[in-house]
C-alpha cells in the first residue's frame, strides 16, 4: 500500500547533527584510589607504603630498589623513587612510580604511581594509587583490574570511607544489620559509591562468580555490601520504593543518598536479575565497575596528594654543577689515582643525571599526551554544557508557557463550577529509570508501535552515567511516536510526517521537540554502502519480504559525545501494520563524521 506521507528532502550538514570526526584522545588515567590513613597509623605510613610496594614488585618477579632515583629494572620496567622532606628533616611525601612499556606487543605503556603525603599540622595523610594507560597508536584503551598494590595497602592499613571500612571482601548484611546498611547509604561523609548486591532467590553459581568479579574490580574505589536474601524485605521497607532492590539485583549508590526522593532515586543505577542473567550481557563485572571508576578518576584529588613538593630537574642540574666544580678545581698536587677517582665520581654523576633526564623526557611526553586528552575532555564537556544550557532554556520557556496555560484553564474550570477537576492531577506513570526498565514496560504501554529493536543494544546504554536521563528522553520520544501512530492510523488520520505532527502539536497529543527529529539522513550517508547497511533495520515480513528496510528517520536523544543515542523508526501508519515501527535504540550509528 503506497504511503500518503510526503517524502522529505535530504538535509544539509548542520551543527549538532553529526558527531565530530577527530580521533578522540582518551584520558590515560584509568584507575585512581585515594586512601585516607588514620591518625594512629600515620607515623609508619611511609614505611608501610614502601613495604606494600616492595611486596607488589616481588609478586611481579622484579628486584626491589627503593632508594631515591631512577632504576632500570628490566628492558621494559622502569622504577622512579622520589622523597620529599621539610626543613626539619621530616619526610612529607613519597612517590613510587613503575612504568612498563609493552609497545613490542602493541599494548602501549602502563604507569602505576603510588603517592603518599602527610600534613602533620592537621593530622591528615593519604596514600593514593594512580594507574595510567597510554595505548599504542591505533589501539583503544582497555579497562584493567585494579592493581594488586591496592589490595596490599588495604590489608596493611585501616582505611575507611565515612563509617565504612574499605576491604577486599564484601560486607555481609543480615536482617538484624539492615540499619547499619541504611546508615552507610545516607552517611554524609561517604565519598565513594556503595554497591549493593542482593542475593538471588535461589543459589546461583553464575551469580556468585559475578559477585567475585564485581568485588575484584571495585577494590579501593567503592564499598561492596552483600544483602542476604532473607534481609531483602527489611531493606526494601527501610529504603523505600525509590531506592530498594529485589533479590538478585545489583545497585550502585552514589554519595549523597536521599531516601524517599524520587528524583534522587534516578541517580543510583539498578541492574535487574533478568539483565544480569542474560547471556548477551557480557563482562557484567567490568560494566558494573564503570560508574565507580568514572567517579574515581573525575573526582579531584585532595590538595595534599595533588601538589606535593618533590625535587625536580633543578636537583639534577645542581648535582651536575657540583660535579663540574669539583673536577675544575685543581691544587696541582693531584695524583693519577686521585684524578681517576674524581673522573669516576663525575662520570657516575653524569650517568645518573642522564638517566634522570631521560626519565624526565619520557614523563614529559606522557604528560603531554595526558594534557591533550584533558583538552579534549574539556572541549567535550564545554560542548555538552552549552547544549544542556540550550536544552534547559528551551525547557524552561516551554514550562513557563505550560504553567500559564494550566493556570488559565484551571481558572476557567473554577468559573464553570468544576473546581475539583481543575486541581486533580491526571494519572501519569513515572518515566523509567533505566533502559532495562523501559524495555519491560514499553510493550504493554505503546499500542501503536511495532518494536523490532535489539533490546540488549538499548540496555547497553545503561553503562553510561547519563543513562537515566536518556531513558527518560527515549520514553518521551516513544510516547510521541505512539501518539502519532494513534492519530495517523486510518484514512482520516493526521496527514503528514512525524516531524509535521510534532510541529503541529495536536491538542492533547504527546509530541517531541522538532529540532530533535530528522526524517532523512544526509546524502553522504544514503549513498555510502557501509552506513546504509547499518540502517537496514528489522521490520515485519508483511512490510518488506526481506525483513529489513532502510530506516533513516530518527530522533536525536543527545547531540554531544561519542554515544549520542538515537531512535530510528519507520512510518508504516499508511502501510500493512498501520503503526510506527521502531527498529533501533542505541548509540549514534556511523556516518562520515564518526570515528
Amino acid at each position: 500500500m503506497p504511503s500518503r506521507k510526503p517524502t522529505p528532502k535530504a538535509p544539509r550538514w548542520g551543527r549538532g547533527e553529526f558527531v565530530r570526526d577527530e580521533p578522540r584522545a582518551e584520558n590515560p588515567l584509568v584507575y585512581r584510589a585515594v586512601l585516607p590513613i588514620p591518625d594512629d597509623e600515620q607515623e609508619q605510613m611511609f614505611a608501610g607504603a614502601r613495604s606494600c610496594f616492595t611486596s607488589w614488585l616481588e609478586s611481579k618477579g622484579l628486584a626491589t630498589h627503593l632508594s631515591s632515583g631512577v632504576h632500570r629494572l628490566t628492558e621494559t620496567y622502569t622504577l622512579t623513587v622520589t622523597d620529599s622532606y621539610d626543613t626539619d628533616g621530616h619526610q612529607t611525601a613519597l612517590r613510587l612510580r613503575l612504568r612498563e612499556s609493552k609497545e613490542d606487543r602493541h599494548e602501549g605503556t602502563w604507569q602505576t604511581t603510588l603517592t603518599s603525603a602527610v600534613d602533620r599540622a592537621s593530622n591528615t595523610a593519604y596514600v593514593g594509587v594512580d594507574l595510567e594507560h597510554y595505548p599504542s597508536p591505533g589501539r583503544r584503551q582497555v579497562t584493567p583490574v585494579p592493581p594488586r598494590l591496592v589490595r596490599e595497602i588495604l590489608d596493611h592499613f585501616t582505611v575507611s570511607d565515612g563509617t565504612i571500612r574499605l576491604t577486599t571482601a564484601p560486607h555481609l548484611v543480615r536482617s538484624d544489620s539492615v540499619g547499619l546498611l541504611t546508615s552507610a547509604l545516607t552517611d554524609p561523609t561517604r565519598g565513594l559509591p556503595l554497591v549493593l548486591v542482593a542475593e538471588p532467590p535461589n543459589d546461583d553459581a553464575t551469580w556468585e562468580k559475578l559477585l567475585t568479579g564485581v568485588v575484584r574490580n571495585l577494590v579501593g574505589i567503592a564499598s561492596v555490601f552483600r544483602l542476604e536474601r532473607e534481609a531483602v524485605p527489611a531493606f526494601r521497607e527501610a529504603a523505600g520504593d525509590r531506592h530498594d532492590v529485589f533479590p538478585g539485583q545489583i545497585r550502585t549508590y552514589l554519595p549523597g543518598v536521599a531516601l524517599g526522593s524520587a528524583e534522587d532515586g534516578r541517580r543510583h543505577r539498578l541492574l535487574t536479575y533478568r539483565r544480569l542473567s542474560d547471556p548477551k550481557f557480557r563482562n557484567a563485572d567490568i560494566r558494573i565497575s564503570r560508574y565507580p571508576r568514572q567517579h574515581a578518576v573525575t573526582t579531584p584529588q585532595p590538595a595534599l596528594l595533588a601538589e606535593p613538593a618533590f625535587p625536580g630537574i633543578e636537583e639534577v642540574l645542581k648535582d651536575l654543577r657540583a660535579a663540574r666544580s669539583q673536577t675544575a678545581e685543581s691544587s696541582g698536587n693531584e695524583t693519577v689515582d686521585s684524578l681517576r677517582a674524581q673522573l669516576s665520581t663525575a662520570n657516575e654523576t653524569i650517568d645518573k643525571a642522564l638517566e634522570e633526564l631521560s626519565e624526565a623526557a619520557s614523563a614529559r611526553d606522557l604528560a603531554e599526551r595526558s594534557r591533550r586528552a584533558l583538552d579534549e575532555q574539556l572541549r567535550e564537556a564545554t560542548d555538552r554544557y552549552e547544549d544542556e544550557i540550550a536544552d534547559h532554556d528551551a525547557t524552561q520557556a516551554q514550562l513557563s508557557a505550560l504553567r500559564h496555560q494550566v493556570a488559565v484553564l484551571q481558572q476557567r474550570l473554577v468559573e464553570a463550577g468544576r473546581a475539583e477537576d481543575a486541581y486533580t492531577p491526571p494519572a501519569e506513570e513515572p518515566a523509567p529509570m533505566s533502559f532495562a526498565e523501559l524495555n519491560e514496560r514499553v510493550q504493554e504501554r505503546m499500542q501503536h508501535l511495532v518494536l523490532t529493536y535489539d533490546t540488549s543494544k538499548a540496555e547497553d546504554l545503561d553503562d553510561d552515567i547519563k543513562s537515566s536521563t536518556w531513558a527518560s528522553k527515549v520514553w518521551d520520544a516513544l510516547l510521541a511516536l505512539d501518539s502519532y501512530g494513534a492519530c495517523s492510523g486510518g484514512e482520516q488520520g493526521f496527514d503528514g510526517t512525524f516531524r509535521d505532527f510534532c510541529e503541529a502539536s495536536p491538542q492533547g497529543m504527546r509530541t517531541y521537540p522538532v529540532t530533535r527529529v530528522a526524517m532523512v539522513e544526509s546524502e553522504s550517508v544514503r549513498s555510502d554502502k557501509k552506513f546504509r547497511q547499518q540502517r537496514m533495520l528489522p521490520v515485519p515480513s508483511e512490510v518488506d519480504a526481506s525483513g529489513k528496510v532502510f530506516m533513516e528517520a530518527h530522533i536525536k536523544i543527545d547531540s554531544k559525545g561519542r554515544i549520542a543515542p538515537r531512535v530510528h523508526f519507520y512510518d508504516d501508519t499508511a502501510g500493512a501494520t498501520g503503526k510506527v515501527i521502531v527498529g533501533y535504540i542505541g548509540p549514534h550509528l556511523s556516518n562520515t563524521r564518526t570515528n
Side-chain angles (χ1 to χ4, degrees):
M1 179 178 179
S3 173
R4 65 175 183 273
K5 310 297 181 186
T7 302
K9 296 181 180 180
R12 296 182 179 181
W13 292 96
R15 187 179 185 274
E17 174 70 18
F18 299 100
V19 180
R20 283 195 308 268
D21 58 348
E22 298 96 334
R24 185 179 188 272
E26 295 181 290
N27 185 358
L29 183 63
V30 292
Y31 175 88
R32 166 172 284 168
V34 176
L35 310 173
I37 305 302
D39 296 358
D40 58 348
E41 298 182 24
Q42 291 178 10
E43 190 66 30
Q44 299 299 319
M45 179 180 66
F46 294 114
R50 286 176 178 271
S51 175
C52 293
F53 205 87
T54 298
S55 177
W56 178 59
L57 289 177
E58 290 174 347
S59 72
K60 292 177 170 290
L62 299 174
T64 54
H65 301 279
L66 296 190
S67 57
S68 293
V70 178
H71 308 281
R72 302 285 181 186
L73 304 183
T74 68
E75 288 294 321
T76 57
Y77 284 101
T78 302
L79 172 66
T80 305
V81 181
T82 315
D83 297 281
S84 182
Y85 297 85
D86 61 19
T87 55
D88 295 329
H90 296 116
Q91 186 165 13
T92 57
L94 166 69
R95 176 179 290 156
L96 303 168
R97 174 171 289 159
L98 182 69
R99 190 173 71 248
E100 180 183 9
S101 175
K102 293 186 176 181
E103 294 293 351
D104 57 330
R105 288 182 279 174
H106 305 289
E107 295 181 27
T109 298
W110 291 89
Q111 184 166 272
T112 306
T113 304
L114 181 153
T115 305
S116 181
V118 62
D119 180 3
R120 291 183 173 82
S122 62
N123 288 329
T124 304
Y126 295 96
V127 174
V129 177
D130 283 358
L131 177 59
E132 297 164 286
H133 180 217
Y134 300 86
S136 298
R139 297 300 181 97
R140 295 296 302 272
Q141 208 168 61
V142 299
T143 302
V145 173
R148 180 183 165 186
L149 171 61
V150 180
R151 304 178 71 90
E152 298 270 0
I153 296 170
L154 291 178
D155 288 340
H156 187 93
F157 295 102
T158 305
V159 180
S160 298
D161 176 34
T163 59
I164 307 170
R165 169 78 185 271
L166 289 184
T167 65
T168 57
H171 299 274
L172 184 62
V173 181
R174 298 185 173 90
S175 298
D176 59 357
S177 57
V178 165
L180 295 176
L181 171 58
T182 55
S183 295
L185 280 178
T186 56
D187 179 8
T189 64
R190 178 170 66 89
L192 298 178
L194 185 156
V195 177
L196 180 62
V197 292
E199 291 181 349
N202 302 297
D203 292 343
D204 185 337
T206 302
W207 186 91
E208 293 289 348
K209 182 179 179 181
L210 171 61
L211 174 59
T212 300
V214 168
V215 173
R216 181 181 64 245
N217 279 284
L218 294 178
V219 168
I221 57 175
S223 55
V224 181
F225 284 71
R226 175 174 181 153
L227 184 64
E228 286 190 341
R229 62 176 65 95
E230 293 80 10
V232 170
F235 174 74
R236 295 190 63 230
E237 182 178 357
D241 60 357
R242 297 298 182 179
H243 294 81
D244 63 356
V245 294
F246 283 88
Q249 295 183 340
I250 297 180
R251 191 161 193 175
T252 301
Y253 297 91
L254 297 175
V257 171
L259 296 180
S261 167
E263 182 179 354
D264 179 72
R266 301 181 65 85
R267 296 195 304 123
H268 313 293
R269 184 194 184 197
L270 176 70
L271 283 171
T272 65
Y273 187 36
R274 178 192 63 79
R275 176 64 165 155
L276 293 170
S277 303
D278 185 352
K280 294 182 180 179
F281 189 59
R282 300 174 182 174
N283 302 319
D285 54 342
I286 296 176
R287 296 164 79 160
I288 290 168
S289 73
R290 285 178 183 169
Y291 266 32
R293 283 176 187 271
Q294 187 172 10
H295 183 270
V297 301
T298 56
T299 300
Q301 279 185 307
L304 195 59
L305 283 181
E307 303 168 1
F310 287 109
I313 199 69
E314 64 278 358
E315 293 295 322
V316 178
L317 296 175
K318 180 180 177 181
D319 291 342
L320 282 174
R321 293 189 185 101
R324 180 181 180 183
S325 298
Q326 185 177 4
T327 55
E329 294 175 356
S330 174
S331 62
N333 298 321
E334 291 86 353
T335 64
V336 172
D337 289 342
S338 66
L339 289 173
R340 284 176 175 169
Q342 288 182 25
L343 182 60
S344 176
T345 301
N347 284 337
E348 288 178 2
T349 302
I350 292 171
D351 288 343
K352 179 182 177 182
L354 289 174
E355 192 77 28
E356 294 189 8
L357 287 171
S358 175
E359 176 61 20
S362 298
R364 179 204 61 200
D365 292 342
L366 295 182
E368 175 60 21
R369 291 180 65 176
S370 296
R371 186 196 64 77
R372 289 199 301 268
L374 291 174
D375 283 348
E376 172 69 17
Q377 283 190 323
L378 177 60
R379 181 170 63 172
E380 186 173 298
T382 301
D383 285 348
R384 281 180 174 270
Y385 174 74
E386 291 175 350
D387 199 52
E388 293 292 342
I389 289 294
D391 273 355
H392 175 75
D393 288 345
T395 302
Q396 187 63 39
Q398 185 182 33
L399 180 61
S400 297
L402 289 174
R403 281 175 172 167
H404 176 69
Q405 184 179 7
V406 167
V408 171
L409 293 175
Q410 285 176 329
Q411 182 61 34
R412 290 177 182 174
L413 284 170
V414 170
E415 292 171 354
R418 299 174 59 188
E420 185 176 349
D421 290 338
Y423 294 99
T424 301
E428 178 70 18
E429 56 185 333
M433 294 193 299
S434 67
F435 284 92
E437 182 185 350
L438 182 148
N439 288 337
E440 290 177 353
R441 292 168 51 185
V442 69
Q443 290 282 0
E444 182 178 352
R445 175 64 177 82
M446 311 295 174
Q447 300 299 310
H448 303 282
L449 303 182
V450 177
L451 306 171
T452 63
Y453 68 92
D454 184 344
T455 56
S456 63
K457 177 71 72 174
E459 289 182 12
D460 284 346
L461 294 172
D462 280 333
D463 288 344
D464 196 277
I465 199 166
K466 293 186 69 176
S467 62
S468 62
T469 300
W470 289 340
S472 179
K473 288 185 175 182
V474 168
W475 184 255
D476 287 343
L478 295 178
L479 287 174
L481 285 171
D482 192 60
S483 289
Y484 171 70
C487 282
S488 296
E491 292 298 325
Q492 303 302 317
F494 181 84
D495 190 13
T497 67
F498 175 64
R499 195 177 194 282
D500 297 331
F501 175 79
C502 292
E503 197 164 22
S505 294
Q507 189 173 9
M509 293 292 104
R510 301 291 290 259
T511 60
Y512 206 75
V514 176
T515 56
R516 298 292 186 180
V517 179
M519 297 306 298
V520 293
E521 294 281 13
S522 67
E523 189 58 40
S524 57
V525 170
R526 283 178 160 186
S527 59
D528 186 284
K529 183 178 180 180
K530 173 187 173 183
F531 300 155
R532 189 178 182 88
Q533 183 60 37
Q534 286 187 7
R535 291 158 177 80
M536 295 298 295
L537 297 168
V539 294
S541 57
E542 60 265 31
V543 175
D544 192 287
S546 69
K548 291 185 177 182
V549 297
F550 179 55
M551 207 173 289
E552 58 182 332
H554 60 275
I555 299 172
K556 294 171 277 189
I557 303 304
D558 202 340
S559 60
K560 301 296 181 184
R562 288 183 299 168
I563 298 177
R566 297 291 188 262
V567 176
H568 282 256
F569 63 92
Y570 179 76
D571 186 353
D572 193 48
T573 54
T577 65
K579 297 182 179 183
V580 178
I581 302 169
V582 179
Y584 179 84
I585 298 176
H588 194 304
L589 296 173
S590 301
N591 58 37
T592 56
R593 294 173 65 86
T594 55
N595 294 330

